[in-house]
């Protein structure tokens, strides 16, 4: 069975990524590292625990990472993801505690338990993974595959003109992680940058499709003319929370002149982690600018091996329709089975 360790800063799109992973009953999600980013680390952990509660999967351990980036000052983005990181969704408070093993040690333990057989997925800042690699420099050699959502190469940044959020929050961590791959037998990670993840643009129609496939009623189609913050009345608990979360994300993107859409950066990376053939990649040596007054946190790709051997594979193209078909179908399955099982919590 495929084993995956997920590190995230949940977050609206991290939430969808988590639901997709939970929907993949053919994989073993061995643990979830909570890293501060979109919201503070304790809120990230609570969100992860709450989603597990909703889906009746409290057997999966949730680990808490560092409260601060390695060097930078912590910052969060509640304006993007809502005051608690899940948009307008009101998730139940978790009844199970986080693990006493911290996120970095959990990375180490998971790779030691499944050497050469574990897929790592990071959809938040790289603080926890960098901390794990500081403690155990051989960790990268034990991963079967690593997929990172982060960076912007030929696209504008979404945090500053040149930087993407996950890298901008902890540039030193990102630089350390990229520096640890592409040598000593550590397979270069697949990097899913904004260039590609911004093509995974969810529209209200996708939510209607999702709800219909889950058998949820009534079918709700968020509309830009709706009163902001309108709450879902869907009878399916997963769909209700997803619509409430995504409505906030749709409104955020619209307020930033992107249209009434929502970029599904993290669910896309989750899919790539399990189906890497869905992307075309190019090898490159990726490094992170740590000094520039205008460019600190910028990801720089050397595609011509001018500065060294490739340490990453940058995802450059995908089949967007196939991505949505897979994500919506699987999450709908999860929503349907959660509703019919006794463990689905309101
Ligand atoms: C990334 O930043 C976060 O806000 C999202 O969750 C995603 O991981 C996109 O730049
Ligand atoms: Ca994220």
């Amino acid at each position: 069975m495929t084993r995956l360790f997920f590190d995230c800063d949940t977050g609206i799109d991290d939430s969808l990524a988590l639901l997709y992973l939970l929907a993949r009953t053919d994989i073993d999600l061995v643990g979830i590292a909570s890293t501060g980013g979109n919201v503070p680390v304790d809120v990230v952990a609570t969100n992860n625990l709450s989603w597990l509660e909703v889906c009746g999967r409290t057997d999966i351990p949730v680990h808490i990472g560092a409260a601060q980036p390695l060097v930078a000052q912590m910052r969060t983005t509640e304006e993007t993801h809502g005051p608690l990181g899940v948009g307008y969704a009101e998730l139940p408070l978790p009844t199970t505690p986080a693990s006493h093993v911290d996120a970095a040690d959990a990375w180490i333990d998971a790779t030691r338990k499944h050497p050469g057989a574990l897929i790592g997925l990071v959809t938040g800042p790289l603080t926890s993974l960098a901390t794990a690699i500081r403690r155990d420099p051989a960790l990268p050699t034990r991963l079967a595959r690593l997929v990172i959502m982060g960076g912007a190469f030929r696209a504008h940044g979404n945090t500053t003109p040149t930087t993407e959020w996950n890298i901008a929050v902890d540039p030193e961590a990102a630089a350390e992680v990229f520096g640890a791959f592409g040598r000593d037998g550590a397979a270069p990670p697949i990097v899913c940058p904004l260039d590609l993840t911004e093509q995974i643009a969810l529209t209200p129609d996708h939510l209607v499709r999702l709800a219909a496939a889950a058998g949820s009623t009534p079918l709700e189609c968020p509309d830009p003319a709706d009163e902001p913050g309108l709450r879902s009345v869907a009878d399916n608990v997963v769909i209700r929370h997803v619509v409430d979360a995504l409505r906030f994300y749709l409104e955020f993107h619209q307020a930033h002149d992107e249209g009434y859409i929502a970029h599904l950066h993290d669910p896309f990376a989750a899919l790539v982690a399990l189906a890497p053939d869905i992307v075309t990649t190019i090898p490159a040596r990726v490094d992170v600018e740590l000094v520039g007054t205008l460019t600190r946190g910028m990801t720089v790709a050397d595609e011509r091996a001018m500065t060294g051997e490739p340490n990453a594979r940058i995802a450059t193209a995908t089949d967007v329709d196939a991505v949505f078909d897979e994500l919506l179908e699987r999450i709908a399955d999860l929503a349907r089975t959660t509703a019919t099982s006794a463990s689905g919590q309101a």
Side-chain angles (χ1 to χ4, degrees):
M1 168 162 307
T2 301
R3 295 192 165 88
L4 187 140
F5 186 82
F6 182 35
D7 188 333
C8 49
D9 64 336
T10 319
I12 296 172
D13 57 332
D14 306 80
S15 296
L16 265 282
L18 175 56
L19 293 178
Y20 174 69
L21 296 174
L22 294 175
R24 291 290 304 254
T25 48
D26 55 331
I27 70 156
D28 180 10
L29 180 54
V30 302
I32 302 172
S34 309
T35 297
N38 289 324
V39 285
V41 68
D42 54 324
V43 184
V44 174
T46 300
N47 289 342
N48 289 332
L49 289 164
S50 293
W51 281 118
L52 293 180
E53 192 100 19
V54 168
C55 298
R57 291 302 311 276
T58 52
D59 54 302
I60 299 171
V62 171
H63 306 274
I64 301 182
Q68 296 287 329
L70 297 184
V71 175
Q73 276 298 319
M74 184 62 192
R75 57 169 154 172
T76 56
T77 182
E78 283 78 1
E79 70 274 19
T80 311
H81 293 270
L84 295 175
V86 287
Y88 296 117
E90 292 179 61
L91 302 179
L93 280 177
T95 57
T96 42
S99 164
H100 64 276
V101 178
D102 80 18
D105 279 346
W107 266 108
I108 294 169
D109 292 349
T111 56
R112 285 192 179 156
K113 201 164 169 202
H114 310 290
L118 186 75
I119 298 171
L121 168 65
V122 186
T123 64
L126 288 142
T127 318
S128 300
L129 179 54
T131 305
I133 294 172
R134 281 184 176 189
R135 289 180 195 169
D136 180 354
L139 187 156
T141 64
R142 295 195 300 272
L143 282 168
R145 182 186 309 141
L146 177 65
V147 173
I148 296 170
M149 189 284 128
F153 296 99
R154 293 185 172 89
H156 292 289
N158 63 359
T159 305
T160 71
T162 60
T163 62
E164 182 278 329
W165 174 257
N166 290 338
I167 309 294
V169 168
D170 196 342
E172 279 76 14
E176 288 189 22
V177 168
F178 283 117
F181 284 84
R183 59 186 170 86
D184 304 329
I190 300 176
V191 181
C192 301
L194 288 184
D195 314 48
L196 194 50
T197 62
E198 289 191 344
Q199 292 178 29
I200 315 301
L202 175 131
T203 60
D205 287 353
H206 288 121
L207 285 176
V208 176
R209 250 177 83 187
L210 175 70
S216 177
T217 56
L219 291 183
E220 298 166 320
C221 187
D223 188 283
D226 289 345
E227 168 202 338
L230 185 71
R231 294 303 161 86
S232 169
V233 292
D235 63 357
N236 181 292
V237 60
V238 174
I239 299 299
R240 189 167 70 247
H241 291 318
V242 164
V243 170
D244 281 342
L246 280 167
R247 181 182 288 278
F248 191 98
Y249 220 26
L250 292 164
E251 291 175 4
F252 167 81
H253 284 79
Q254 188 184 37
H256 288 78
D257 299 327
E258 311 258 16
Y260 199 65
I261 57 140
H263 293 140
L264 297 193
H265 313 277
D266 297 346
F268 173 61
L271 172 50
V272 172
L274 294 171
D277 291 345
I278 199 147
V279 286
T280 306
T281 63
I282 52 164
R285 180 143 201 100
V286 172
D287 208 340
V288 179
E289 172 60 61
L290 298 179
V291 181
T293 50
L294 296 175
T295 54
R296 179 172 151 76
M298 180 178 178
T299 40
V300 178
D302 169 9
E303 295 170 18
R304 294 180 174 176
M306 291 187 281
T307 53
E309 288 303 302
N311 62 353
R313 289 163 57 197
I314 301 175
T316 55
T318 195
D319 178 342
V320 175
D321 289 341
V323 168
F324 272 108
D325 287 350
E326 166 70 5
L327 292 175
L328 298 179
E329 207 173 289
R330 297 279 191 170
I331 297 173
D333 282 351
L334 175 77
R336 209 176 33 245
T337 50
T338 299
T340 51
S341 83
S343 49
Q345 302 295 303

Coordinates of all heavy atoms in Angstrom, one line a residue, residues 9 13-14 38 81 123 149 158 164-166 194 265-266, ligand 1:
D9 N -0.3 23.8 6.0 CA -0.6 24.9 6.9 C -2.1 25.3 6.8 O -2.5 26.4 6.5 CB 0.3 26.1 6.5 CG 0.1 26.6 5.1 OD1 -0.4 25.9 4.3 OD2 0.4 27.8 4.9
D13 N -7.2 25.6 0.8 CA -6.9 24.7 -0.2 C -6.1 23.5 0.4 O -6.3 22.3 -0.1 CB -6.1 25.3 -1.4 CG -4.8 26.0 -0.9 OD1 -4.8 26.5 0.2 OD2 -3.9 26.1 -1.7
D14 N -5.4 23.7 1.5 CA -4.9 22.5 2.3 C -6.0 21.6 2.7 O -5.8 20.4 2.7 CB -4.1 23.0 3.5 CG -3.0 24.0 3.2 OD1 -3.4 25.2 3.0 OD2 -1.8 23.6 3.1
N38 N -0.5 29.8 6.8 CA -1.8 30.5 6.5 C -2.4 31.1 7.8 O -2.9 32.2 7.9 CB -2.8 29.6 5.8 CG -2.4 29.3 4.4 OD1 -1.9 30.2 3.7 ND2 -2.7 28.1 4.0
H81 N -7.6 33.2 4.0 CA -8.2 31.9 4.3 C -9.2 32.0 5.4 O -9.8 30.9 5.9 CB -7.1 30.9 4.8 CG -6.2 30.5 3.7 ND1 -6.4 29.4 2.9 CD2 -5.0 31.1 3.2 CE1 -5.5 29.3 1.9 NE2 -4.6 30.3 2.1
T123 N 2.5 21.2 1.6 CA 1.7 22.3 1.0 C 1.7 23.5 1.8 O 0.8 24.4 1.7 CB 0.2 21.8 0.7 OG1 -0.3 21.5 2.0 CG2 0.2 20.5 -0.1
M149 N 4.4 22.0 -2.9 CA 3.7 23.1 -3.6 C 4.4 24.4 -3.1 O 4.4 24.7 -1.9 CB 2.2 23.2 -3.1 CG 1.3 24.2 -3.9 SD 1.6 25.9 -3.4 CE 1.9 26.7 -5.0
N158 N 2.5 35.7 -5.5 CA 1.2 36.0 -4.9 C 1.4 36.6 -3.6 O 0.4 36.9 -2.9 CB 0.3 34.7 -4.9 CG 0.8 33.6 -4.0 OD1 1.9 33.8 -3.4 ND2 0.1 32.5 -3.9
E164 N 6.2 33.5 -3.9 CA 5.0 32.7 -3.6 C 4.9 32.5 -2.1 O 6.0 32.4 -1.4 CB 5.2 31.3 -4.4 CG 4.0 30.4 -4.2 CD 4.1 29.6 -2.9 OE1 5.2 29.3 -2.4 OE2 3.0 29.2 -2.3
W165 N 3.7 32.3 -1.6 CA 3.5 32.3 -0.1 C 4.3 31.3 0.7 O 5.0 31.7 1.6 CB 2.0 32.1 0.2 CG 1.7 32.0 1.7 CD1 1.4 30.9 2.3 CD2 1.7 33.1 2.6 NE1 1.2 31.1 3.7 CE2 1.4 32.5 3.9 CE3 1.8 34.4 2.6 CZ2 1.2 33.2 5.0 CZ3 1.7 35.2 3.7 CH2 1.4 34.6 5.0
N166 N 4.3 30.1 0.3 CA 4.9 29.0 1.1 C 6.4 29.3 1.2 O 7.0 28.9 2.3 CB 4.7 27.6 0.5 CG 3.3 27.2 0.7 OD1 2.5 27.7 1.5 ND2 2.8 26.3 -0.2
L194 N 3.3 28.3 -8.7 CA 2.1 29.0 -9.1 C 1.9 29.0 -10.6 O 0.7 29.1 -11.0 CB 2.3 30.5 -8.7 CG 2.3 30.8 -7.2 CD1 2.4 32.3 -7.0 CD2 1.0 30.3 -6.5
H265 N -4.3 25.2 -5.4 CA -2.8 24.8 -5.4 C -2.6 23.5 -4.7 O -1.9 22.6 -5.3 CB -2.0 25.9 -4.6 CG -2.4 27.3 -4.9 ND1 -1.8 28.0 -6.0 CD2 -3.2 28.2 -4.3 CE1 -2.3 29.2 -6.0 NE2 -3.1 29.4 -5.0
D266 N -3.1 23.4 -3.5 CA -2.6 22.2 -2.7 C -3.3 20.9 -3.0 O -2.6 19.8 -3.0 CB -2.9 22.5 -1.2 CG -2.0 23.7 -0.7 OD1 -1.1 24.1 -1.4 OD2 -2.3 24.3 0.4
Ligands
LIG1 C1 0.0 28.5 -1.2 O1 -0.1 29.5 -0.2 C2 -1.2 29.2 0.7 O2 -1.9 30.3 1.0 C3 -2.0 28.1 0.0 O3 -2.5 27.2 1.0 C4 -1.0 27.4 -0.9 O4 -0.3 26.4 -0.2 C5 -0.2 29.1 -2.6 O5 0.8 30.1 -2.8

